[in-house]
Amino acid sequence: MKSTVIKRSIVVAGRKTSVSLEDGFWNALKEIAGGRDASLSDLVAIIDADRHHANLSSAIRLFVLGFYRDQISAPEADHRRQNGQEDWLLA
């Protein structure tokens, strides 16, 4: 079975680099950048500067995963606050 990981070139902080990502992660990253009114290169530069992993492709995957996890968690936290439940009480 052929891998769906594709190597893509991108300029990050003025230098050309490449990342290997599946289409789903690449498309999600473009959506997130568009939603923030940022260029793809600018968003990847932020991820690159803040990463705690040696591999930029992995850092991008973790960023995308975290972004969507936060979106799922936000409605739950809003619901708890509306019902008078503080987050620190549930921890």
Side-chain angles (χ1 to χ4, degrees):
M1 176 178 259
K2 187 177 176 177
S3 173
T4 59
V5 176
I6 299 171
K7 194 171 214 171
R8 304 161 196 277
S9 296
I10 188 167
V11 176
V12 179
R15 63 181 170 82
K16 189 173 182 180
T17 190
S18 62
V19 294
S20 297
L21 292 171
E22 297 81 0
D23 281 336
F25 282 106
W26 184 253
N27 292 334
L29 188 64
K30 291 193 303 188
E31 286 177 13
I32 295 167
R36 293 182 174 195
D37 248 355
S39 71
L40 193 57
S41 291
D42 289 342
L43 181 56
V44 173
I46 291 167
I47 296 167
D48 186 37
D50 192 42
R51 70 179 154 140
H52 304 286
H53 306 280
N55 184 297
L56 180 57
S57 298
S58 294
I60 291 170
R61 286 185 189 95
L62 290 171
F63 172 83
V64 169
L65 175 64
F67 177 85
Y68 287 109
R69 277 186 164 173
D70 288 348
Q71 284 192 339
I72 292 169
S73 298
E76 293 171 7
D78 289 343
H79 177 74
R80 286 192 300 267
R81 279 190 289 278
Q82 289 173 359
N83 291 310
Q85 298 171 327
E86 297 296 329
D87 287 340
W88 61 271
L89 291 174
L90 301 173

